[in-house]
Amino acid sequence: MSTHDEIRATLTSEGCAEEQFDEMNCPTCGGPLTLSVHPDMRQFFVRCASDTTHVAMHGENAAAPEWWKAHLSGGWY
Ligand SMILES: [Zn+2]
């Protein structure tokens, strides 16, 4: 399973690969992670797909990769 530090390090790294993200999983249950990207393409929110008490964190990536566009979401208010 992935650690919180690994998840943060991967998502804040320049050129974070989609394959790297897909290989990571929830530190608590081992399930898939859900990524939401702010319309500014810098801020992100990642959480366990089944339970936010497992993992849920915000971060920022100044060099977000192209594949993040597929994860753009509203609701950032
Ligand atoms: Zn989980």
Side-chain angles (χ1 to χ4, degrees):
M1 294 195 208
S2 307
T3 66
H4 285 71
D5 286 347
E6 282 171 359
I7 294 168
R8 181 181 297 281
T10 299
L11 288 172
T12 56
S13 67
E14 190 175 335
C16 164
E18 187 167 12
E19 293 74 24
Q20 274 181 294
F21 177 74
D22 287 343
E23 283 170 10
M24 294 196 298
N25 45 38
C26 174
T28 303
C29 70
L33 300 171
T34 298
L35 178 68
S36 300
V37 178
H38 188 281
D40 69 6
M41 281 295 282
R42 288 175 69 98
Q43 297 174 72
F44 67 83
F45 177 66
V46 63
R47 53 164 285 187
C48 169
S50 60
D51 193 332
T52 51
T53 64
H54 293 174
V55 58
M57 66 173 88
H58 284 95
E60 193 167 317
N61 189 328
E66 281 291 303
W67 64 269
W68 277 26
K69 287 182 179 169
H71 296 271
L72 285 172
S73 73
W76 295 75
Y77 302 106

